[in-house]
Amino acid sequence: MRSRRSYLFFAIMGLLFLAIAVAGFGPSFLFPLLGGNFDFPPAIFVHAVIMFGWLGLFITQAMLARGGPSRWHKYLGTASLILFLLIMASGVTLSIANFLEDLPQPVEARLDSIFFLQLWTFVLIPLFYWLGYRERRRSPEKHMRYMLLLTFFLIEAAASRITFLPGLADDATFIYAQYLYLDAMLIPLFIYDWKQLGRISPATFIGCGILFFYQFTAMVMWDNEQWLKLADALDNWLSAYWPI
């Protein structure tokens, strides 16, 4: 019974992440799409399908795991590797393409700061996937926590677009408000750990420690003059080699 309740918690968190994704990308993508507006670059469609596919997979896996090991859970776990590789390919392509786009200031500087965050995704997504993958048999509870934190990390872009929340529409407070709201969603995980285990899971400690370190560097480097100069140099270098 405890195991089933455990996986139900992760499914509910997955639904929360899905709601954040809809709230973030609804006004600019989902709602126009439902209204018949298909005037979006193909790469955006592909990326959206991949990212929402991951959210759906996470929720489905959590629900399947409630019944114990199953053939479908194993098959979908294998499929997650393909989806992970697609996330990396799509994320790298869109991130660099947006970074190299020639835009006026201060939009250019904003994209340069965002690119610093995106560089972290090239490290953290594979890291969390690997941490979760290696625990899939020896510790399913740790496995689900790492996958939860990976999915949490993936919805950051959506959360940053919910600009009706105080602080997110203001460039001066955006980066701090974003992480304040995001990290509030991790509180249930700490409460759940304490109630279920009587302590905080090592996976929660390690995973959140990695995320908090990333967030600290993001806040330090946001609109940082030295980073913006380096980004300009990187822009010039990549423009000479990037094929898209």
Side-chain angles (χ1 to χ4, degrees):
M1 179 63 69
R2 173 176 163 178
S3 176
R4 291 190 175 191
R5 289 171 56 190
S6 167
Y7 290 115
L8 180 60
F9 167 80
F10 292 106
I12 292 172
M13 290 296 291
L15 289 171
L16 172 62
F17 296 159
L18 178 60
I20 295 298
V22 171
F25 288 108
S28 62
F29 179 73
L30 291 175
F31 301 155
L33 194 65
L34 292 174
N37 180 7
F38 300 97
D39 189 22
F40 296 97
I44 299 297
F45 279 105
V46 172
H47 186 68
V49 169
I50 293 170
M51 299 305 286
F52 278 98
W54 178 271
L55 285 166
L57 178 63
F58 177 81
I59 296 167
T60 302
Q61 285 290 74
M63 294 302 295
L64 287 173
R66 293 185 68 210
S70 69
R71 183 181 303 175
W72 276 107
H73 186 77
K74 180 179 179 181
Y75 288 161
L76 291 177
T78 302
S80 75
L81 176 60
I82 299 173
L83 205 51
F84 156 72
L85 294 174
L86 290 173
I87 288 172
M88 291 302 300
S90 175
V92 169
T93 301
L94 283 179
S95 295
I96 296 179
N98 289 335
F99 174 64
L100 295 180
E101 192 172 355
D102 189 17
L103 295 169
Q105 295 293 354
V107 179
E108 180 82 20
R110 179 70 173 265
L111 288 178
D112 287 349
S113 291
I114 290 175
F115 189 64
F116 178 82
L117 277 58
Q118 291 170 331
L119 287 175
W120 266 106
T121 68
F122 307 159
V123 176
L124 294 187
I125 293 175
L127 175 59
F128 275 113
Y129 188 85
W130 174 76
L131 287 170
Y133 186 82
R134 72 170 188 166
E135 298 288 356
R136 70 193 189 283
R137 289 194 176 95
R138 61 184 181 184
S139 180
E141 289 282 348
K142 289 182 181 178
H143 165 74
M144 286 303 296
R145 281 167 173 79
Y146 284 127
M147 290 303 178
L148 172 77
L149 293 171
L150 169 56
T151 308
F152 167 83
F153 179 67
L154 290 174
I155 65 163
E156 180 176 315
S160 70
R161 287 167 170 78
I162 309 178
T163 53
F164 61 80
L165 292 175
L168 287 182
D170 186 344
D171 285 346
T173 59
F174 163 79
I175 194 69
Y176 308 106
Q178 170 179 271
Y179 292 132
L180 180 64
Y181 293 127
L182 278 169
D183 291 347
M185 289 193 291
L186 292 176
I187 294 174
L189 176 59
F190 284 88
I191 295 174
Y192 171 79
D193 274 4
W194 193 259
K195 291 183 67 175
Q196 290 292 317
L197 306 175
R199 58 183 172 81
I200 305 302
S201 168
T204 301
F205 263 126
I206 294 171
C208 289
I210 293 169
L211 287 171
F212 294 156
F213 177 74
Y214 150 69
Q215 291 175 2
F216 172 75
T217 63
M219 289 186 287
V220 170
M221 299 303 290
W222 188 259
D223 284 339
N224 180 276
E225 184 177 346
Q226 296 305 313
W227 163 250
L228 294 178
K229 289 180 180 178
L230 178 60
D232 284 341
L234 186 59
D235 189 326
N236 294 331
W237 180 78
L238 280 174
S239 295
Y241 298 99
W242 188 247
I244 300 177

